[in-house]
Amino acid sequence: MIDSCEQVPAHLRALAPYQPGKPISELQRELGLSAIIKLASNENPLGPSPMALQAISQALPELALYPDGSGHELKQALSAHYQIPQPQIVLGNGSNDVLELVARTFLGPGTSAVYAQHAFAVYPLVTQAVGAEGIEVPAKDFGHDLEAMMAALRPDTRVLFLANPNNPTGTFLSGATVQAALQRIPSRVLVVLDEAYTEYLLPQQRYPAMSWLQQHSNLLISRTFSKAYGLAGLRVGFGVAHPEVIDLINRVRQPFNVNALALAAAAAALQDQAFLERVRALNQAGLMQLEEGFKRLSLPYIPSVGNFLTVRVGEAARVYQALLAQGIIVRPVAAYQMPEYLRVSVGTAAQNHLFLQALERALHAAT
Ligand SMILES: *Cc1c(COP(=O)(O)O)cnc(C)c1O
């Protein structure tokens, strides 16, 4: 190893890089295929709201200027939409950025973070990147075992990550369950409630997490425009917490971490709640379509409240390859200790149909 790299701390050299879904262009290059369906990264098959696209065109002529580093307009829109004062909001280059900022602000050598087995891969990554210790708590029915997570808290634990719904399993804890846990978690532990998929919840599943902030100064809620709002390519998300928590995070944040087009698009997207209704309806129909398909193929799946389903196919690596050969990209989740499963994002009815057909062929090819 070259000298400069040898000096890098062991906890960084031991990092396993995040494995993103395979890009469409890469599979096109490899296979020479033109028609490719990507159901690998929980992206929105409807694309962004037309209002977001219009805001982007309007912002284009200003691209020579730096974005507003405080993101005032977007924060104002978020503040009005969620009834949250602006000093309680931090914007991120995707919510991934918010998670990383939390780690850089609250974690470091000599501290630890608690998260669940099969939870979002970014939690161990950001924890390890800052030299903190990750405490992975075994899952219960593929979901978070909150009791065990609370029991795992140590005196040096500074952050508890909780994805609700969780990715890649789609599991969900009721609002009452999360709220009851919050009452018991010591206030020195920042609870990061990652709600990347919250917009997909059915009305009876929704819970008012933002209203808990008044009582719990150790709660940070993270949200994203990447999933239901269909803006994954722009990179914009946000965190909401006590003003002191936000103030500390802002000291670590890059001054221009959210780009100008993302700021404009997100503010516009927030206004188009009719679009979100269409997104939800398409997703519900798609979940049912995929579930029926899996039942027909006798494949066990984990019931999901997100925009994806994780299904047990046996030799997942082979089935994944057999799907790729047919121009369909899904997500292997072996890195999540689920080597027999594949995660598939809900697409349009036509995409789901083609996926199910290809899956049936892939299963035969793989046996
Ligand atoms: C997709 C996802 C995110 C973050 O996505 P960004 O594009 O960075 O906003 C965060 N948490 C979970 C659980 C996710 O699945």
Side-chain angles (χ1 to χ4, degrees):
M1 200 190 296
I2 61 174
D3 288 350
S4 56
C5 294
E6 248 173 272
Q7 308 306 317
V8 171
H11 65 260
L12 289 185
R13 282 186 276 131
L15 270 179
Y18 181 80
Q19 296 171 355
K22 195 181 187 73
I24 290 179
S25 54
E26 188 180 306
L27 189 61
Q28 275 171 341
R29 278 196 304 276
E30 286 171 8
L31 295 185
L33 290 176
S34 55
I36 286 174
I37 297 174
K38 185 183 179 211
L39 301 174
S41 302
N42 302 344
E43 292 146 337
N44 192 329
L46 290 178
S49 146
M51 284 167 67
L53 294 178
Q54 198 192 350
I56 291 169
S57 349
Q58 278 168 2
L60 283 174
E62 305 295 323
L63 275 187
L65 305 178
Y66 279 99
D68 172 5
S70 73
H72 180 76
E73 245 176 74
L74 175 54
K75 279 199 214 161
Q76 203 168 38
L78 289 167
S79 171
H81 188 73
Y82 292 108
Q83 302 297 306
I84 293 286
Q86 286 190 46
Q88 290 191 240
I89 304 172
V90 62
L91 303 179
N93 184 34
S95 60
N96 197 128
D97 189 25
V98 174
L99 300 173
E100 190 174 318
L101 288 169
V102 163
R104 285 169 53 206
T105 309
F106 290 89
L107 296 173
T111 68
S112 64
V114 165
Y115 43 79
Q117 180 191 20
H118 313 310
F120 190 42
V122 166
Y123 311 149
L125 264 179
V126 298
T127 300
Q128 207 179 329
V130 297
E133 188 183 335
I135 302 172
E136 184 187 285
V137 178
K140 190 168 82 184
D141 301 328
F142 293 103
H144 292 67
D145 183 345
L146 264 183
E147 286 300 325
M149 289 176 79
M150 285 189 278
L153 296 172
R154 301 191 313 214
D156 71 355
T157 303
R158 299 284 175 269
V159 175
L160 182 147
F161 290 103
L162 183 60
N164 204 40
N166 184 43
N167 167 28
T169 57
T171 50
F172 175 67
L173 297 168
S174 74
T177 305
V178 176
Q179 196 182 14
L182 268 177
Q183 314 279 7
R184 291 168 49 199
I185 296 171
S187 56
R188 71 183 150 72
V189 177
L190 184 72
V191 177
V192 176
L193 182 56
D194 180 347
E195 298 189 325
Y197 300 94
T198 203
E199 291 84 3
Y200 290 100
L201 295 179
L202 299 173
Q204 66 271 24
Q205 294 165 329
R206 289 177 207 155
Y207 55 92
M210 301 265 183
S211 74
W212 303 339
L213 290 164
Q214 294 215 335
Q215 265 188 52
H216 299 286
S217 57
N218 63 328
L219 172 64
L220 182 141
I221 300 164
S222 81
R223 297 275 185 100
T224 183
F225 285 93
S226 296
K227 308 283 161 53
Y229 286 99
L231 292 170
L234 271 187
R235 314 304 302 126
V236 52
F238 62 98
V240 185
H242 190 278
E244 273 179 49
V245 170
I246 298 299
D247 175 57
L248 282 167
I249 292 176
N250 268 326
R251 298 174 197 210
V252 179
R253 184 178 65 83
Q254 276 186 46
F256 304 109
N257 64 328
V258 184
N259 73 75
L261 302 183
L263 288 173
L270 204 57
Q271 308 311 317
D272 196 352
Q273 293 295 314
F275 173 77
L276 272 198
E277 286 301 332
R278 287 206 291 135
V279 169
R280 270 190 281 271
L282 184 80
N283 191 60
Q284 280 309 311
L287 280 175
M288 281 172 59
Q289 185 185 2
L290 290 173
E291 287 176 9
E292 278 164 24
F294 294 152
K295 281 179 193 151
R296 199 167 43 79
L297 297 170
S298 305
L299 297 175
Y301 59 88
I302 305 170
S304 167
V305 300
N307 66 339
F308 54 88
L309 272 167
T310 298
V311 57
R312 200 168 97 209
V313 295
E315 286 184 89
R318 271 172 61 184
V319 176
Y320 169 66
Q321 291 297 335
L323 284 168
L324 282 185
Q326 301 176 74
I328 294 185
I329 312 174
V330 297
R331 187 68 148 268
V333 284
Y336 287 90
Q337 305 168 40
M338 301 170 72
E340 295 200 328
Y341 286 79
L342 291 174
R343 189 195 68 193
V344 58
S345 308
V346 175
T348 60
Q351 290 174 329
N352 300 333
H353 178 69
L354 289 169
F355 158 73
L356 287 168
Q357 279 188 330
L359 178 62
E360 187 163 10
R361 285 191 289 266
L363 289 167
H364 291 310
T367 49

Short mmCIF file of all heavy atoms in Angstrom, two decimals, residues 42 93-97 99 120 123 163 165-167 194 196-197 223-227 232 235-237, ligand 1:
data_model
loop_
_atom_site.label_atom_id
_atom_site.label_comp_id
_atom_site.label_asym_id
_atom_site.label_seq_id
_atom_site.Cartn_x
_atom_site.Cartn_y
_atom_site.Cartn_z
N ASN A 42 -35.77 2.44 -5.77
CA ASN A 42 -36.98 3.03 -5.20
C ASN A 42 -37.26 4.42 -5.76
O ASN A 42 -37.72 5.32 -5.04
CB ASN A 42 -36.90 3.06 -3.67
CG ASN A 42 -36.70 1.67 -3.10
OD1 ASN A 42 -36.92 0.69 -3.79
ND2 ASN A 42 -36.27 1.58 -1.86
N ASN A 93 -28.15 17.79 0.83
CA ASN A 93 -27.95 17.32 -0.55
C ASN A 93 -28.43 15.86 -0.59
O ASN A 93 -27.66 14.91 -0.58
CB ASN A 93 -26.45 17.43 -0.87
CG ASN A 93 -26.13 17.05 -2.31
OD1 ASN A 93 -26.91 17.29 -3.21
ND2 ASN A 93 -24.99 16.45 -2.50
N GLY A 94 -29.76 15.72 -0.58
CA GLY A 94 -30.38 14.43 -0.29
C GLY A 94 -30.43 14.26 1.21
O GLY A 94 -29.70 14.94 1.94
N SER A 95 -31.32 13.38 1.70
CA SER A 95 -31.34 13.19 3.15
C SER A 95 -30.10 12.41 3.59
O SER A 95 -29.72 12.44 4.76
CB SER A 95 -32.63 12.52 3.61
OG SER A 95 -32.79 11.26 3.01
N ASN A 96 -29.46 11.75 2.65
CA ASN A 96 -28.17 11.11 2.95
C ASN A 96 -27.20 12.13 3.55
O ASN A 96 -26.46 11.83 4.50
CB ASN A 96 -27.59 10.55 1.63
CG ASN A 96 -26.51 9.53 1.85
OD1 ASN A 96 -26.55 8.43 1.31
ND2 ASN A 96 -25.51 9.90 2.64
N ASP A 97 -27.21 13.33 3.02
CA ASP A 97 -26.36 14.41 3.51
C ASP A 97 -26.73 14.73 4.97
O ASP A 97 -25.85 14.92 5.82
CB ASP A 97 -26.57 15.63 2.61
CG ASP A 97 -25.59 16.78 2.88
OD1 ASP A 97 -24.49 16.52 3.38
OD2 ASP A 97 -25.94 17.93 2.55
N LEU A 99 -28.03 12.70 7.14
CA LEU A 99 -27.56 11.60 7.99
C LEU A 99 -26.06 11.73 8.25
O LEU A 99 -25.58 11.52 9.37
CB LEU A 99 -27.86 10.25 7.32
CG LEU A 99 -29.34 9.95 7.06
CD1 LEU A 99 -29.50 8.66 6.25
CD2 LEU A 99 -30.11 9.84 8.37
N PHE A 120 -31.20 0.62 6.86
CA PHE A 120 -30.58 1.34 5.75
C PHE A 120 -29.05 1.34 5.89
O PHE A 120 -28.50 1.67 6.95
CB PHE A 120 -31.12 2.76 5.75
CG PHE A 120 -30.76 3.57 4.54
CD1 PHE A 120 -30.80 3.04 3.27
CD2 PHE A 120 -30.41 4.91 4.68
CE1 PHE A 120 -30.49 3.81 2.15
CE2 PHE A 120 -30.10 5.69 3.58
CZ PHE A 120 -30.14 5.13 2.30
N TYR A 123 -26.50 4.06 7.63
CA TYR A 123 -26.25 4.27 9.07
C TYR A 123 -24.89 3.72 9.51
O TYR A 123 -24.11 4.45 10.12
CB TYR A 123 -27.38 3.68 9.93
CG TYR A 123 -28.78 4.06 9.50
CD1 TYR A 123 -29.85 3.20 9.71
CD2 TYR A 123 -29.03 5.28 8.88
CE1 TYR A 123 -31.13 3.54 9.31
CE2 TYR A 123 -30.32 5.62 8.47
CZ TYR A 123 -31.36 4.73 8.69
OH TYR A 123 -32.62 5.06 8.28
N ALA A 163 -35.35 3.80 10.90
CA ALA A 163 -35.97 4.03 9.59
C ALA A 163 -37.41 3.55 9.66
O ALA A 163 -37.67 2.39 9.95
CB ALA A 163 -35.22 3.28 8.50
N PRO A 165 -40.96 4.00 7.35
CA PRO A 165 -40.70 2.59 7.07
C PRO A 165 -39.21 2.33 6.85
O PRO A 165 -38.48 3.24 6.51
CB PRO A 165 -41.46 2.33 5.77
CG PRO A 165 -42.40 3.49 5.58
CD PRO A 165 -41.80 4.63 6.31
N ASN A 166 -38.83 1.05 7.04
CA ASN A 166 -37.42 0.71 6.82
C ASN A 166 -37.18 0.32 5.36
O ASN A 166 -38.05 -0.21 4.68
CB ASN A 166 -37.02 -0.46 7.73
CG ASN A 166 -35.55 -0.79 7.60
OD1 ASN A 166 -34.71 0.10 7.56
ND2 ASN A 166 -35.23 -2.08 7.51
N ASN A 167 -35.99 0.60 4.90
CA ASN A 167 -35.50 0.14 3.61
C ASN A 167 -34.27 -0.72 3.92
O ASN A 167 -33.42 -0.26 4.68
CB ASN A 167 -35.11 1.36 2.76
CG ASN A 167 -34.31 0.97 1.54
OD1 ASN A 167 -34.43 -0.12 1.03
ND2 ASN A 167 -33.48 1.90 1.07
N ASP A 194 -35.80 8.40 10.41
CA ASP A 194 -35.62 8.53 8.96
C ASP A 194 -36.94 8.17 8.27
O ASP A 194 -37.33 7.00 8.23
CB ASP A 194 -34.48 7.60 8.53
CG ASP A 194 -34.20 7.65 7.03
OD1 ASP A 194 -35.02 8.21 6.28
OD2 ASP A 194 -33.15 7.12 6.62
N ALA A 196 -37.93 8.50 5.00
CA ALA A 196 -37.76 8.67 3.54
C ALA A 196 -38.99 8.23 2.76
O ALA A 196 -39.22 8.69 1.64
CB ALA A 196 -36.52 7.91 3.07
N TYR A 197 -39.78 7.32 3.34
CA TYR A 197 -40.93 6.78 2.60
C TYR A 197 -42.26 7.16 3.23
O TYR A 197 -43.29 6.56 2.93
CB TYR A 197 -40.82 5.23 2.53
CG TYR A 197 -39.56 4.80 1.83
CD1 TYR A 197 -38.40 4.52 2.55
CD2 TYR A 197 -39.51 4.73 0.43
CE1 TYR A 197 -37.23 4.16 1.90
CE2 TYR A 197 -38.34 4.38 -0.22
CZ TYR A 197 -37.21 4.10 0.52
OH TYR A 197 -36.06 3.76 -0.13
N ARG A 223 -36.31 13.71 6.08
CA ARG A 223 -37.24 13.50 4.96
C ARG A 223 -36.49 13.73 3.66
O ARG A 223 -35.46 14.39 3.64
CB ARG A 223 -38.40 14.50 5.04
CG ARG A 223 -39.28 14.37 6.28
CD ARG A 223 -40.34 13.32 6.04
NE ARG A 223 -41.28 13.24 7.16
CZ ARG A 223 -42.49 13.81 7.16
NH1 ARG A 223 -42.89 14.56 6.16
NH2 ARG A 223 -43.29 13.63 8.19
N THR A 224 -37.07 13.25 2.57
CA THR A 224 -36.39 13.40 1.28
C THR A 224 -37.37 13.75 0.16
O THR A 224 -38.56 13.42 0.25
CB THR A 224 -35.63 12.12 0.91
OG1 THR A 224 -34.93 12.33 -0.31
CG2 THR A 224 -36.57 10.93 0.75
N PHE A 225 -36.85 14.40 -0.87
CA PHE A 225 -37.61 14.63 -2.09
C PHE A 225 -37.27 13.58 -3.15
O PHE A 225 -37.70 13.67 -4.29
CB PHE A 225 -37.33 16.05 -2.63
CG PHE A 225 -38.02 17.12 -1.85
CD1 PHE A 225 -37.38 17.75 -0.79
CD2 PHE A 225 -39.33 17.49 -2.13
CE1 PHE A 225 -38.02 18.73 -0.04
CE2 PHE A 225 -39.99 18.46 -1.39
CZ PHE A 225 -39.33 19.08 -0.34
N SER A 226 -36.46 12.58 -2.76
CA SER A 226 -35.98 11.60 -3.75
C SER A 226 -37.00 10.53 -4.10
O SER A 226 -36.95 9.96 -5.18
CB SER A 226 -34.74 10.88 -3.21
OG SER A 226 -33.68 11.77 -3.02
N LYS A 227 -37.89 10.22 -3.20
CA LYS A 227 -38.74 9.06 -3.41
C LYS A 227 -40.11 9.48 -3.94
O LYS A 227 -40.28 9.58 -5.13
CB LYS A 227 -38.82 8.25 -2.11
CG LYS A 227 -37.44 7.91 -1.51
CD LYS A 227 -36.74 6.79 -2.23
CE LYS A 227 -35.23 6.67 -2.04
NZ LYS A 227 -34.71 6.61 -0.69
N ALA A 232 -34.93 12.26 -7.16
CA ALA A 232 -33.69 11.61 -6.69
C ALA A 232 -32.45 12.16 -7.37
O ALA A 232 -31.40 12.31 -6.75
CB ALA A 232 -33.78 10.10 -6.88
N ARG A 235 -30.94 15.56 -5.76
CA ARG A 235 -30.36 15.47 -4.42
C ARG A 235 -30.89 16.60 -3.51
O ARG A 235 -30.29 17.66 -3.40
CB ARG A 235 -28.81 15.52 -4.45
CG ARG A 235 -28.14 14.64 -5.48
CD ARG A 235 -28.53 13.19 -5.36
NE ARG A 235 -28.23 12.66 -4.04
CZ ARG A 235 -29.13 12.06 -3.26
NH1 ARG A 235 -30.39 11.90 -3.68
NH2 ARG A 235 -28.78 11.61 -2.09
N VAL A 236 -32.00 16.36 -2.87
CA VAL A 236 -32.47 17.31 -1.86
C VAL A 236 -33.33 16.60 -0.81
O VAL A 236 -34.20 15.79 -1.12
CB VAL A 236 -33.19 18.54 -2.49
CG1 VAL A 236 -34.28 18.13 -3.45
CG2 VAL A 236 -33.73 19.49 -1.41
N GLY A 237 -33.01 16.90 0.44
CA GLY A 237 -33.75 16.36 1.57
C GLY A 237 -33.66 17.37 2.70
O GLY A 237 -33.06 18.44 2.54
C1 LIG B 1 -33.47 6.49 -0.17
C2 LIG B 1 -33.31 6.61 1.32
C3 LIG B 1 -32.76 7.74 1.93
C4 LIG B 1 -32.09 8.88 1.31
O1 LIG B 1 -32.21 9.22 0.08
P1 LIG B 1 -31.68 10.63 -0.42
O2 LIG B 1 -31.83 10.48 -1.88
O3 LIG B 1 -30.27 10.80 0.02
O4 LIG B 1 -32.59 11.65 0.17
C5 LIG B 1 -32.71 7.79 3.31
N1 LIG B 1 -33.17 6.81 4.05
C6 LIG B 1 -33.70 5.71 3.53
C7 LIG B 1 -34.20 4.65 4.43
C8 LIG B 1 -33.77 5.56 2.13
O5 LIG B 1 -34.24 4.45 1.61
#
